[in-house]
Amino acid sequence: MSVFRKTALLLAFLAAAAWLLGYLSEAWVGWLLFAAALLWLLLSHLRPLAYLDAWSQAPFADPDLTGPGTWDGIFRRLYRHEKEVAQQISERDREIELLIAANQALIDGVVLLDAQDQIVFCNRTAEEQLGLCLATDRGLPVVNLVRVPEFMAYLAAGVFTTPLELTLERGQPRMLAVHILPYAGARRLMQIRDVTQANRLERMRRDFVANVSHELRTPLTVLSGFLETLQEIEFSPEERARYLGLMAEQAERMGNIVQDLLTLSSIESAPPPSSQVVDMGHMLDRLQRDAQALSGGRHEIASESSGQGNLYGAESELLSAFANLVANAVRYTPAGGKIVLEWRVDAGGAEFAVRDSGPGIAPEHISRLTERFYRVDRSRSREAGGTGLGLAIVKHALNRHQARLAIASEPGRGSRFVAIFPRSRVVS
Ligand code: ADP
């Protein structure tokens, strides 16, 4: 029953009682009783009213929210309502937290701007990309923080059909593609993608095509020059044989390049290497025999091994990687030098290394040796029959086995090329 009804009934009852008393005794006794009853009624409502007044200024869901008599229902309904509102708010908070977490998980940077281009929100990626800090930069105009003229002009122009490519020099130079998407009226969302790697790959692809063409064109030009000469001029049989020999050399060089390119592309496109067991004892014997054949007795070739173990992997890929290291050692080490093949297994993993007493490599070249067609000395590599792809093949083959190539070398003191395998690739 509502408070109004209850109070009205009570009042009616009190009025009837006071009238009866006034009727039976003196009228003023009735009035006195009625006034006293009214005062009692008023006082009994004052305490819950004062409580309600205080509560309404700072509402909270209080399970002990009870009131006397008629007020109890009101307080219970208020409590239920407040509880529902608190629940809705906490659900909404949770949804907002999830949305923020999803934004934080994005690999792209996200910055939300208001109609005045002031920062409302940015995720951690954007903080890192643009050097922002949401805690201190919220509410500041983005152009005050990203002070790059192209960016300011792009934002001011308001034409966002194509993304802006921005090069930032914070530590490592980075290329960012900034997309601006209007939303909710005049607000804007900035989506920032780091395209440094993609641009680098694209440049590498272009360089690679140019390099392949160049590498193949050189022997081809020499070959066609010889062909023309042979067609136009009569040579003695000895000279003719010499020219044909030189032509065969160029053809072989082209063949080697094509062969290495095919090896590289087959390694790149092949499925992940199977976990076939590669017998390293056999592998070392085979590599040593091949090295001796290639050296033709000009070098001392030895092998060392410590620890017991073989490798899980694709035998053909590992053979190709190891054989390239061995062939390089033989090709670049002058006659009389020493080459050692090493195989070590320990608790941390395994290592296959080729150590030579060759000319060594200056430190500035070492980090670039695995780039395709990179050579320290172009003519020397050519004389040695190199294609410039050997170490690129090694790096790829090793990467596919979660292994890495380490190079230790010093000019005049020889080199050591090491393939380092994790424990997971070792068969004990
Ligand atoms: P290449 O076919 O020219 O040998 P690689 O990719 O196998 O190409 O090697 C890249 C370069 O690294 C070589 O041109 C050579 O200058 C250098 N290099 C590789 N192995 C050795 C080594 N054992 N000693 C000295 N230099 C080496």
Side-chain angles (χ1 to χ4, degrees), residues 133-155:
C133 171
L134 184 62
T136 51
D137 297 341
R138 198 196 294 268
L140 297 180
V142 69
V143 285
N144 288 7
L145 301 160
V146 185
R147 303 189 66 83
V148 182
E150 301 107 279
F151 174 69
M152 292 163 152
Y154 181 71
L155 201 63

Side-chain angles (χ1 to χ4, degrees), residues 260 324-325 328-329 331-333 356 358-361 369-371 374-377 381-382 385-392 409 415 417:
D260 275 359
N324 263 303
L325 296 180
N328 277 353
R331 282 193 279 130
Y332 294 108
T333 304
D356 67 52
I361 305 157
L369 291 184
T370 53
E371 286 176 22
Y374 186 85
R375 284 113 157 181
V376 175
D377 180 338
S381 153
R382 207 160 285 163
T387 59
L389 293 169
L391 292 180
S409 186
S415 312
F417 287 75

Side-chain angles (χ1 to χ4, degrees), residues 230-306:
L230 281 175
Q231 275 167 347
E232 284 166 14
I233 303 171
E234 271 300 315
F235 286 105
S236 66
E238 295 79 39
E239 271 179 316
R240 200 180 161 78
R242 194 171 72 83
Y243 276 128
L244 286 175
L246 290 171
M247 286 168 71
E249 232 173 66
Q250 296 303 323
E252 189 185 334
R253 204 176 128 201
M254 284 168 59
N256 286 344
I257 294 175
V258 172
Q259 183 54 49
D260 275 359
L261 283 172
L262 286 174
T263 308
L264 202 54
S265 97
S266 76
I267 289 180
E268 275 176 344
S269 53
S274 60
S275 287
Q276 140 197 22
V277 176
V278 180
D279 185 327
M280 285 304 291
H282 283 152
M283 175 78 89
L284 282 189
D285 288 347
R286 178 171 176 181
L287 289 168
Q288 195 170 354
R289 275 200 312 275
D290 289 354
Q292 270 151 354
L294 196 63
S295 159
R298 288 175 301 126
H299 307 91
E300 183 191 335
I301 297 166
S303 77
E304 293 171 2
S305 61
S306 72

Side-chain angles (χ1 to χ4, degrees), residues 93-106:
D93 283 353
R94 177 94 191 104
E95 278 167 18
I96 292 172
E97 266 171 29
L98 285 176
L99 272 177
I100 291 176
N103 260 296
Q104 296 293 18
L106 285 176

